[in-house]
Amino acid sequence: MTPNLTLVLTSAALVGTGTYLFLSRSLVRALMGFLLMGNGINLLFIIASGPPGAPPIVGASPTGERMADPVPQALVLTAIVITLGMTAFVLALAHRGRQLSGVDLVDDDTESARIHARAEADDLGPGPSARETSDEIEAEGHRTESSHHDETGAEHAHDEFVEDEDRHHGHGHDKRGERR
């Protein structure tokens, strides 16, 4: 059996392009990469299943003609259904991330960076200790989080502060800012 070279090259191009996109920080690009890889692998399953044959239904082909293997076809159909569900889930994640932060980029994992720095510091010998590097990364993460919260919640926090101050000093204002 010799597989069709065009299909093999197409499958390789789909998987390669999908892998490149899947490594992106953008959720939409990662989703596109996942879809391309899935289609490339599905094509690879069909290529590997052997030469085409008659439909995989007993009695549907004339006697002596080779029947196609139904297992790879069933695997590809199952993979298509799983890919559809995964696509819906990742699109929901990307949409929610876009609503919350305004971008669809995946943030840095500060805990993973801290663990990695600790491991490197222990392996490298002289230099800053693992604890110092870990504390520095953790402080950077807190600074980033606090600046993010300051940008998004500064107006809301200011309004609550004004209402609390008014209540404390006896100024009666309702929620619209009018005196009671």
Side-chain angles (χ1 to χ4, degrees), residues 11-24 29-38:
S11 176
L14 286 172
V15 171
T17 306
T19 302
Y20 176 76
L21 288 173
F22 193 70
L23 296 174
S24 174
R29 284 186 181 201
L31 175 63
M32 294 306 291
F34 176 75
L35 293 173
L36 287 176
M37 279 193 314

Side-chain angles (χ1 to χ4, degrees), residues 2-167:
T2 48
N4 186 343
L5 184 61
T6 306
L7 291 178
V8 171
L9 291 176
T10 303
S11 176
L14 286 172
V15 171
T17 306
T19 302
Y20 176 76
L21 288 173
F22 193 70
L23 296 174
S24 174
R25 294 177 61 112
S26 169
L27 285 175
V28 174
R29 284 186 181 201
L31 175 63
M32 294 306 291
F34 176 75
L35 293 173
L36 287 176
M37 279 193 314
N39 288 331
I41 291 170
N42 288 344
L43 186 58
L44 192 62
F45 271 141
I46 296 298
I47 294 168
S49 70
I57 301 170
V58 176
S61 63
T63 55
E65 191 174 336
R66 185 181 168 283
M67 187 171 76
D69 186 9
V71 174
Q73 295 174 18
L75 287 174
V76 168
L77 285 175
T78 304
I80 290 170
V81 172
I82 291 171
T83 301
L84 179 67
M86 186 71 172
T87 300
F89 178 69
V90 173
L91 280 175
L93 282 178
H95 178 68
R96 185 63 177 155
R98 178 83 177 185
Q99 280 180 335
L100 292 177
S101 65
V103 294
D104 72 335
L105 299 177
V106 177
D107 292 333
D108 289 333
D109 185 10
T110 56
E111 183 66 20
S112 178
R114 189 171 62 84
I115 291 169
H116 183 70
R118 233 185 217 177
E120 279 186 353
D122 289 341
D123 290 342
L124 295 178
S129 70
R131 173 61 65 195
E132 292 169 351
T133 308
S134 170
D135 292 341
E136 183 180 311
I137 292 171
E138 188 173 359
E140 177 64 31
H142 288 307
R143 280 195 298 269
T144 305
E145 288 177 16
S146 64
S147 67
H148 174 71
H149 291 301
D150 288 345
E151 291 171 3
T152 58
E155 292 177 18
H156 182 67
H158 176 69
D159 293 342
E160 288 179 0
F161 177 77
V162 169
E163 288 178 16
D164 287 344
E165 285 294 311
D166 285 344
R167 262 188 255 119

